[in-house]
């Protein structure tokens, strides 16, 4: 599964279930958010699918780099963080830093939504900034400015995703299913957007970025039309500045168990970051490596390496459906596993995906010799694992976090992908400097280490994270 667009902070309080109109067993608001996120994902995934290749083949080449406003400061920053050697390493490092910052800017967006502009105006401003960013990617000179606008816009528009949990009571079993459904909406976008944007980019690089911008505009329209089915502002704490200024009641003190749970959830963030390394590499070093090593000619057709992202989106959608069905069936026959145990199991499964690429590289070390069947196996194994450890991990943080700290802890969950992408930005600079087998073994080893730690936590701290330990927020 590809990376998921991050949430901005918002208190994950449940809506009053009796007031929610439902469709196919879930509130209509879930389907509005899923469709909206699909289009936002279309814009982001389409751009990400061509970013590293665009940098390597076009923007960072001597004929173009000198015309880019602000590129030298960006290169200086990336060099200080990653010390890349060569154009390909620099492209991988810039891409990794951008992907990492995607998961940090929602903190700023959440602050603006809660305390300055209000949720709707913040999302609207974010959508405008993202659209402007995509259009500015159409010009070489404005590339750095475009990245900045995209990051700011995505952070502000990220409040869309935080509304998912507010549609359900804390004890509602459908919450985990809702996050799976929401995730599938994004996965469907991954099937379509990389193929379309990459195909347009083969004609003209900037056409791909324009297509991504149009997708962002459609997502904004869907959200505006469907607002009436979303949680009322009163159900999302601190969505209006006046509500903050008039808030008189102090936050309830954390119990001893809530303090322990909070510390544990924060400790899990870097662990999950390490576990997500194999999946996070898909938009960065994996594309650069795959273009050099995969046999990309299929039935006489020279397949762009970006099509692998669409393949991953298709596979991850199927895997998400199968994982959702499996755990439902499992719970009917046996005692359901805890969410942390499922996350540990998913991370363990995903750790075997890079081993597939390491084996393929060992058996076929030459350029364009690795069969796409190795890539197919990589995506299947990775997507099965990531379908479990992301969506279920999101549900774990949403449910287990104490009510008074739910906002920041749900935001911290997305920060594990910020840390993960910082790591893969460095790993991408190792391409060509270490053997291909060693490169992928590093990814597998990282995930196995994380799986072991998560498994230990599932056994040692099951009482802190077990279902049913949370308490609902007090009724005013």
């Amino acid at each position: 599964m590809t990376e998921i667009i991050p949430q901005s902070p918002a208190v994950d309080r449940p809506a009053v279930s009796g007031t929610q109109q439902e469709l196919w067993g879930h509130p209509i608001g879930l389907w509005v958010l899923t469709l909206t996120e699909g289009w936002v994902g279309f814009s982001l995934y389409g751009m990400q699918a061509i970013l590293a290749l665009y940098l390597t083949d076009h923007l960072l080449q001597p004929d173009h780099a000198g015309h880019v406003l602000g590129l030298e400061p960006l290169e200086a920053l990336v060099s200080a963080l990653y010390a890349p050697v060569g154009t390909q390493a620099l492209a991988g490092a810039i891409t990794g830093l951008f992907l990492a910052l995607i998961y940090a800017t929602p903190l700023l967006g959440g602050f603006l939504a809660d305390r300055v502009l209000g949720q709707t105006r913040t999302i609207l401003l974010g959508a405008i900034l993202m659209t402007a960013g995509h259009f500015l990617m159409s010009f070489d000179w404005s590339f750095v400015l475009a990245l900045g606008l995209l990051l700011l816009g995505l952070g502000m528009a990220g409040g869309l995703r935080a509304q998912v949990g507010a549609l359900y009571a804390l004890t509602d079993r459908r919450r985990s299913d809702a996050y799976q459904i929401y995730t599938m909406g994004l996965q469907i976008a991954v099937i379509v957007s990389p193929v379309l944007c990459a195909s347009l980019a083969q004609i003209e690089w900037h056409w791909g970025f324009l297509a991504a911008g149009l997708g962002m505009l459609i997502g904004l329209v869907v959200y505006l039309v469907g607002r009436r089915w979303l949680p009322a502002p009163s159900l999302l704490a601190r969505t209006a500045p006046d509500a903050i200024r008039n808030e008189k009641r102090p936050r309830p003190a954390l119990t001893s168990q809530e303090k322990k749970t909070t510390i544990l959830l924060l400790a899990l963030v870097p662990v999950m970051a390490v576990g997500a390394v194999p999946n996070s590499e898909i938009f960065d070093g994996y594309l650069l490596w795959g273009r050099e090593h995969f046999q990309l000619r299929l039935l006489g057709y020279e397949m762009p390496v970006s099509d692998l992202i669409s393949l991953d989106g298709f596979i991850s959608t199927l895997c998400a459906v199968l994982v959702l069905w499996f755990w439902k069936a499992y719970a009917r026959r046996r005692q359901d596993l805890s969410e942390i145990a499922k996350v540990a199991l998913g991370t363990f499964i995903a750790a075997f995906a890079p081993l597939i690429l390491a084996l393929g590289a060992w058996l076929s070390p030459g350029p364009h010799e690795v069969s796409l069947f190795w890539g197919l196996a990589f995506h299947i194994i990775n997507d099965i694992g990531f379908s479990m450890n992301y969506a279920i991990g999101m549900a774990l943080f949403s449910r287990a976090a104490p009510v008074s700290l739910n906002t920041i802890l749900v935001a911290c969950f997305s920060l594990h992908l910020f840390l993960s992408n910082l790591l893969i930005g460095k790993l991408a600079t190792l391409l060509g400097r270490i053997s291909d087998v060693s490169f992928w073994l590093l990814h597998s080893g990282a995930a196995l280490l994380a799986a072991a730690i998560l498994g230990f936590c599932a056994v040692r701290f099951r009482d802190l994270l077990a279902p049913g330990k949370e308490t609902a927020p007090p009724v005013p």
Side-chain angles (χ1 to χ4, degrees):
M1 184 190 299
T2 51
E3 295 176 71
I4 306 298
I5 303 176
Q7 303 180 70
S8 72
V11 170
D12 193 23
R13 289 186 179 179
V16 180
S17 59
T19 65
Q20 297 293 303
Q21 292 180 280
E22 293 191 355
L23 177 66
W24 298 324
H26 286 273
I28 293 178
L30 172 65
W31 306 107
V32 172
L33 292 172
T34 299
L35 185 59
T36 303
E37 289 304 310
W39 281 110
V40 175
F42 177 96
S43 71
L44 187 63
Y45 292 138
M47 187 274 292
Q48 288 179 188
I50 59 178
L51 178 59
L53 305 175
Y54 167 70
L55 287 168
T56 302
D57 295 346
H58 180 80
L59 193 76
L60 296 180
Q61 295 300 317
D63 292 343
H64 301 280
H67 305 294
V68 182
L69 182 66
L71 184 59
E72 288 187 6
L74 177 60
E75 289 181 347
L77 173 62
V78 170
S79 296
L81 288 174
Y82 299 121
V85 178
T87 299
Q88 179 174 274
L90 179 60
I94 292 174
T95 302
L97 180 61
F98 173 76
L99 295 176
L101 291 175
I102 284 175
Y103 298 94
T105 53
L107 293 174
L108 172 62
F111 175 82
L112 291 175
D114 288 350
R115 298 181 179 272
V116 181
L117 298 175
Q119 190 175 49
T120 301
R121 281 178 291 182
T122 302
I123 292 173
L124 177 61
L125 179 58
I128 293 172
L129 290 175
M130 285 187 69
T131 304
H134 284 299
F135 279 100
L136 284 174
M137 293 285 277
S138 300
F139 308 96
D140 290 349
W141 69 267
S142 55
F143 172 78
V144 177
L145 175 61
L147 289 186
L149 292 178
L150 286 170
L151 288 171
L152 288 175
L154 184 62
M156 294 179 182
L160 293 164
R161 292 163 293 284
Q163 293 180 307
V164 173
L167 294 167
Y168 300 88
L170 288 172
T171 55
D172 194 330
R173 170 65 180 81
R174 298 178 300 168
R175 286 168 67 88
S176 292
D177 295 350
Y179 281 110
Q180 293 275 18
I181 293 170
Y182 149 74
T183 302
M184 282 190 288
L186 293 170
Q187 292 164 349
I188 292 171
V190 187
I191 299 174
V192 179
S193 61
V195 170
L196 177 59
C197 293
S199 297
L200 292 173
Q202 284 189 305
I203 303 171
E204 170 59 48
W205 280 110
H206 305 302
W207 289 10
F209 298 122
L210 288 174
L214 291 175
M216 183 63 232
L217 282 175
I218 296 174
L220 175 61
V221 172
V222 171
Y223 177 75
L224 292 175
V225 171
R227 279 182 303 167
R228 60 189 174 124
W229 287 296
L230 300 180
S234 61
L235 296 174
L236 298 173
R238 299 176 180 83
T239 55
D242 291 341
I244 301 170
R245 289 191 287 268
N246 296 330
E247 182 73 28
K248 301 298 182 183
R249 292 177 297 142
R251 287 186 177 185
L254 295 178
T255 65
S256 175
Q257 178 150 321
E258 286 177 331
K259 290 178 181 179
K260 293 178 182 178
T261 301
T262 299
I263 293 173
L264 178 58
L265 290 175
L266 291 174
L268 289 178
V269 171
V271 178
M272 296 184 70
V274 174
V277 160
N279 186 77
S280 297
E281 193 68 79
I282 289 177
F283 277 108
D284 199 346
Y286 174 71
L287 289 177
L288 298 173
W289 180 87
R291 185 172 62 171
E292 298 298 324
H293 293 278
F294 279 133
Q295 298 174 0
L296 293 174
R297 193 165 189 83
L298 187 64
L299 301 177
Y301 167 66
E302 189 69 29
M303 185 179 74
V305 70
S306 299
D307 284 2
L308 294 174
I309 303 299
S310 292
L311 174 66
D312 184 78
F314 177 74
I315 294 172
S316 62
T317 301
L318 293 179
C319 289
V321 172
L322 291 174
V323 166
L324 181 62
W325 171 84
F326 173 81
W327 287 118
K328 280 187 172 183
Y330 185 93
R332 286 196 296 266
R333 291 171 173 78
R334 301 184 181 184
Q335 182 178 357
D336 200 11
L337 295 182
S338 65
E339 289 163 332
I340 183 64
K342 293 177 182 178
V343 171
L345 179 59
T347 305
F348 177 75
I349 292 172
F352 286 88
L355 290 179
I356 296 295
L357 297 180
L359 180 59
W362 179 65
L363 293 175
S364 306
H368 307 294
E369 289 185 357
V370 179
S371 170
L372 281 177
F373 286 107
W374 293 107
L376 179 63
F378 164 78
H379 286 289
I380 291 173
I381 296 173
N382 176 73
D383 289 338
I384 291 173
F386 202 73
S387 293
M388 294 166 56
N389 63 22
Y390 183 84
I392 297 176
M394 186 190 300
L396 167 65
F397 272 64
S398 172
R399 179 193 53 75
V403 173
S404 58
L405 294 178
N406 201 284
T407 299
I408 189 63
L409 289 179
V410 170
C412 284
F413 172 78
S414 290
L415 287 181
H416 86 276
L417 291 177
F418 164 74
L419 297 174
S420 181
N421 281 283
L422 282 180
L423 289 173
I424 64 104
K426 178 59 179 178
L427 288 172
T429 66
L430 300 178
L431 279 170
R433 299 173 61 187
I434 63 175
S435 71
D436 297 325
V437 173
S438 298
F439 179 77
W440 291 117
L441 286 179
L442 281 174
H443 292 72
S444 181
L448 284 172
L449 175 62
I453 297 174
L454 290 168
F456 170 80
C457 292
V459 175
R460 178 64 178 82
F461 303 111
R462 60 180 179 271
D463 291 339
L464 291 178
L465 300 175
K469 295 297 182 184
E470 75 276 9
T471 57
V475 179

